[in-house]
């Protein structure tokens, strides 16, 4: 169970940090890459627009039950973000995680954040399946999700533009029953 990270509601200053982190090519390529017009991609919202959003718009975006977006904190400092895009009719959630602080990469904090997301998704949200879409060039993410017990479900061919080429991505998933076995065993 996670001990070094907490998941918090997103605050405006968190959005500003996400925007700044995504300006770094290495960070954005390990998240969703870039849109065809060059801006860093983000599934849940546009960080640049959310910095200037009204309070009502900010609340609407971050209270959206189909897009659970939470800030990842370590020792009181914001280090990243996770997002679960929920397809209620299927009971599925697509999980995305970003540790934006590169000095915090490879310290186990991403693993703990995913474990917290699994608790949230399967426990509180009652999802049947949580899945991830990992570009083939993000070997660290593939190792992380494999280590946590996600199963390979398929490959999306050449769906990720990266550095002027197109790359495959791997879809990996975990079912609620597999999660229950994992935490019991």
């Amino acid at each position: 169970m996670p001990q070094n990270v907490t998941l918090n509601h997103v605050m405006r200053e968190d959005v500003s940090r996400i925007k700044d982190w995504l300006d770094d090519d290495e960070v954005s390529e390990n998240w969703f890459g870039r849109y065809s017009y060059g801006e860093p991609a983000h599934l849940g919202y546009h960080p640049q627009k959310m910095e200037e959003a009204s309070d009502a718009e900010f609340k609407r975006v971050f209270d959206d039950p189909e897009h659970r977006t939470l800030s990842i904190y370590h020792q009181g400092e914001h280090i990243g973000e996770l997002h679960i895009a929920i397809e209620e009719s299927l009971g599925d959630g697509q999980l995305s995680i970003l540790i934006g602080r590169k000095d915090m990469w490879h310290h186990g904090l991403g693993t703990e954040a995913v474990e917290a997301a699994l608790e949230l998704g399967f426990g509180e949200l009652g999802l049947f399946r949580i899945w991830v879409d990992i570009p083939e060039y993000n070997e660290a993410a593939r190792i992380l999700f494999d280590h946590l017990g996600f199963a390979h479900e398929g490959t999306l061919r050449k769906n990720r533009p990266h550095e002027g080429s197109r790359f495959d991505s791997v879809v990996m998933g975990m079912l609620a029953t597999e999660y229950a076995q994992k935490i019991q065993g």
Side-chain angles (χ1 to χ4, degrees), residues 18 21 27 34 44 51 54 64 79 110 152 155 184:
I18 289 292
W21 290 331
V27 173
R34 294 191 176 274
E51 279 186 311
S54 68
D64 182 347
I79 64 164
H152 181 266
T155 301
Q184 290 174 0

Side-chain angles (χ1 to χ4, degrees), residues 91-178:
D92 276 5
Q94 179 184 4
L95 173 63
S96 306
I97 181 170
L98 170 71
I99 302 298
R101 292 239 336 244
K102 294 192 318 186
D103 62 317
M104 296 290 167
W105 288 4
H106 310 294
H107 293 282
L109 300 172
T111 299
E112 285 200 26
V114 172
E115 289 171 339
L118 293 174
E119 285 179 25
L120 172 68
F122 291 126
E124 182 182 325
L125 302 176
L127 295 175
F128 177 77
R129 175 176 164 263
I130 294 176
W131 63 280
V132 294
D133 172 357
I134 305 167
E136 67 180 318
Y137 52 81
N138 191 343
E139 184 67 23
R142 288 197 346 244
I143 291 169
L144 180 150
F145 286 100
D146 185 57
H147 169 76
L148 288 173
F150 279 66
H152 181 266
E153 295 183 343
T155 301
L156 301 173
R157 299 179 306 145
K158 306 296 181 207
N159 76 318
R160 290 290 184 112
H162 177 69
E163 297 180 347
S165 297
R166 295 200 62 95
F167 293 84
D168 293 349
S169 65
V170 175
V171 174
M172 300 178 77
M174 180 180 285
L175 305 177
T177 52
E178 295 166 337

Side-chain angles (χ1 to χ4, degrees), residues 53-65:
S54 68
D55 290 343
E57 177 66 8
F58 195 88
K59 181 174 175 36
R60 185 192 67 74
V61 168
F62 292 106
D63 288 346
D64 182 347

Side-chain angles (χ1 to χ4, degrees), residues 5 26 29 57 77 85 100 103 160 174 180 183:
V5 300
E26 187 177 13
E29 290 300 328
E57 177 66 8
E77 291 188 44
D103 62 317
R160 290 290 184 112
M174 180 180 285
I183 61 172

Side-chain angles (χ1 to χ4, degrees), residues 14 16 27 45 161 166:
D14 297 343
S16 294
V27 173
Y45 63 93
R166 295 200 62 95

